[in-house]
Amino acid sequence: MFQNIQDVHEGINYNNEKRKVNIFSNILTKNNIILYIIVFMVSTIGIGQDMSPFSLAIAAACISAGIPAFGVVAFGLAGNAIAFGTSGALNYMITLLVLIITMFIFKPIYNEENRNEKIKIAFNLFLSVLIVQAVIKVKCIGR
């Protein structure tokens, strides 16, 4: 009787370990690795500020399309850190955190299944960039 309980318990552990392996195998596919290289290269390009708007747009597009965002955010953060230093990396992370917060406050619109993007978060990205840049400008004016 107790052997059956032990077998069930071992099966649950095996499934959890298998699930962890599936998560990492989804992150490290060929298409995603090519995407990570592109994100890294694009995140080193900026437009005057200590930020790469293109890497934010790619991160939002990956979130919208259901692509695992861990690698995109990590490589975007590395590119911003190399191109703009710690202020650029911090600006990138704060903007993404504000994006996530705005996604909880203003629920994104879920799209139909037969389209490319699953959720529409362009308004949330615009709002998060606007909030972060406004705080930075107010901070600079207040000096």
Side-chain angles (χ1 to χ4, degrees):
M1 182 167 112
F2 293 111
Q3 292 172 348
N4 292 339
I5 294 173
Q6 185 178 5
D7 290 339
V8 170
H9 182 64
E10 289 174 2
I12 292 172
N13 288 337
Y14 175 72
N15 287 336
N16 287 339
E17 290 176 15
K18 193 174 183 181
R19 190 175 300 155
K20 290 177 187 177
V21 171
N22 281 340
I23 290 171
F24 286 114
S25 66
N26 287 339
I27 291 173
L28 298 175
T29 61
K30 287 182 184 179
N31 292 338
N32 288 346
I33 291 173
I34 293 170
L35 177 69
Y36 301 152
I37 293 169
I38 292 171
V39 166
F40 178 75
M41 290 189 294
V42 168
S43 66
T44 59
I45 301 169
I47 302 178
Q49 299 291 329
D50 284 343
M51 180 181 72
S52 174
F54 306 115
S55 62
L56 288 171
I58 290 176
C62 289
I63 292 170
S64 175
I67 297 171
F70 177 75
V72 173
V73 170
F75 279 89
L77 182 65
N80 277 302
I82 289 172
F84 305 109
T86 56
S87 65
L90 185 63
N91 193 2
Y92 178 74
M93 286 305 299
I94 290 172
T95 306
L96 285 179
L97 288 174
V98 172
L99 173 66
I100 292 169
I101 291 169
T102 59
M103 286 177 66
F104 285 119
I105 295 172
F106 303 107
K107 301 290 183 189
I109 300 170
Y110 287 89
N111 213 351
E112 297 174 10
E113 289 186 24
N114 57 357
R115 297 203 179 175
N116 289 341
E117 59 183 359
K118 294 181 181 178
I119 56 175
K120 295 183 178 183
I121 59 171
F123 172 74
N124 298 61
L125 180 64
F126 172 75
L127 191 64
S128 63
V129 169
L130 185 70
I131 290 169
V132 171
Q133 291 300 315
V135 168
I136 290 172
K137 294 295 180 188
V138 168
K139 180 182 169 188
C140 290
I141 291 173
R143 286 184 183 182

